[in-house]
Amino acid sequence: MTAIPRRRTPRAALVGAMCALAATGTVLTGCGGEDPDEGTNGVGKLPPEQIQSRTRGAADSAPAVRLAGNVVAGGRRYKLDMRLKSDGGAGSVTAEGATFQLLRVGEALFLKAGADFWTHADDDKGGPSDTAAAGKLDGKYVKVPQRDPSYKKFSGFTDMDVLLDGLLTLHGTLETVGHHQQAGVRTIRITGDNGSGGTLDVSLEGRPYPLRLVRAGGAGTLTFSSWGTNFPLAEPEKDETVDYGKQLPTS
């Protein structure tokens, strides 16, 4: 006798579609009565204020992190891809179409860029001597004098404490807005003032590290990864550096 296929009810089809959506990582809900916090670190069950406190604590105690994305600072939009730890950082920054490398070891800050970057920085001065200087700086690490305005401007991008202190606080009334995924990791999402005060995805696996931040006021989106993963950090060799003098060209 031939078996008659079981007909799927509209309700079953709807539940199946919702679970399929959850599997893509858009929003995770309890499919089939499953607890979305089962097997997690438990922070998803906490009030949003405690979630924010836990993720700040985890971030503050981490020895290293990789930060990537876009931020708006001082009226400019910067694209960052930085690896950071307590004694310095290294990575790339793009601003107004120009990309340069930053490296900080302790108090020593180095900037490396192509000749076009330095030529643009010296546009207000003009003259063939500036073009020649830009050629000498091309692809070399230039040590940034601590009294130069560029030191304060760029060293913040290499300072793990400064960046995290300025980024990881949501503003306004906090709410929890569901379970999600970030790069395959289950997260709990919290927002400030329905998103206008920022949105933060916090890991539900292992330590409750922040994994994705949408800043308030459209001031950029950042992802965080490689929490606690150490990386080598050393000053460049002498043949890789150029001493520009007491002050860099103004950008």
Side-chain angles (χ1 to χ4, degrees), residues 103-114:
L103 169 64
R104 184 175 63 83
V105 183
E107 297 298 320
L109 177 67
F110 300 87
L111 189 154
K112 182 170 75 171

Side-chain angles (χ1 to χ4, degrees), residues 85-169:
K85 54 185 180 179
S86 60
D87 58 345
S92 66
V93 179
T94 301
E96 298 182 347
T99 299
F100 53 94
Q101 305 292 316
L102 287 176
L103 169 64
R104 184 175 63 83
V105 183
E107 297 298 320
L109 177 67
F110 300 87
L111 189 154
K112 182 170 75 171
D116 289 346
F117 174 87
W118 297 111
T119 301
H120 175 72
D122 247 357
D123 276 348
D124 60 328
K125 298 178 182 179
S129 60
D130 299 324
T131 302
K136 292 179 180 180
L137 300 177
D138 181 23
K140 295 287 188 178
Y141 283 100
V142 178
K143 189 171 184 179
V144 182
Q146 291 191 30
R147 293 184 178 181
D148 189 279
S150 297
Y151 186 92
K152 183 177 180 181
K153 179 179 179 181
F154 293 134
S155 63
F157 290 138
T158 66
D159 193 314
M160 183 174 173
D161 292 337
V162 168
L163 279 175
L164 295 184
D165 285 346
L167 293 173
L168 293 181
T169 299

Side-chain angles (χ1 to χ4, degrees), residues 133-236:
K136 292 179 180 180
L137 300 177
D138 181 23
K140 295 287 188 178
Y141 283 100
V142 178
K143 189 171 184 179
V144 182
Q146 291 191 30
R147 293 184 178 181
D148 189 279
S150 297
Y151 186 92
K152 183 177 180 181
K153 179 179 179 181
F154 293 134
S155 63
F157 290 138
T158 66
D159 193 314
M160 183 174 173
D161 292 337
V162 168
L163 279 175
L164 295 184
D165 285 346
L167 293 173
L168 293 181
T169 299
L170 301 179
H171 303 283
T173 303
L174 301 185
E175 291 182 302
T176 303
V177 290
H179 294 71
H180 298 256
Q181 283 193 1
Q182 175 62 33
V185 177
R186 289 180 292 174
T187 67
I188 187 72
R189 181 171 295 175
I190 57 176
T191 66
D193 281 349
N194 295 315
S196 63
T199 300
L200 186 64
D201 277 41
V202 177
S203 176
L204 289 174
E205 302 177 19
R207 300 207 66 190
Y209 290 123
L211 297 184
R212 183 175 182 269
L213 170 71
V214 179
R215 300 183 69 202
T221 299
L222 293 163
T223 60
F224 305 88
S225 61
S226 300
W227 284 103
T229 302
N230 196 14
F231 60 96
L233 195 62
E235 292 190 17

Side-chain angles (χ1 to χ4, degrees), residues 15-102:
V15 172
M18 292 175 65
C19 290
L21 179 61
T24 67
T26 305
V27 179
L28 300 181
T29 57
C31 292
E34 295 180 3
D35 180 0
D37 290 301
E38 183 178 356
T40 71
N41 55 25
V43 297
K45 297 180 179 181
L46 299 177
E49 294 80 8
Q50 290 187 33
I51 296 174
Q52 177 169 252
S53 177
R54 292 283 184 91
T55 196
R56 283 299 305 267
D60 289 343
S61 64
V65 66
R66 181 174 183 176
L67 178 154
N70 298 280
V71 296
V72 176
R76 289 187 177 184
R77 181 172 293 272
Y78 297 90
K79 181 180 179 181
L80 308 178
D81 188 354
M82 302 294 301
R83 298 198 68 176
L84 308 168
K85 54 185 180 179
S86 60
D87 58 345
S92 66
V93 179
T94 301
E96 298 182 347
T99 299
F100 53 94
Q101 305 292 316
L102 287 176

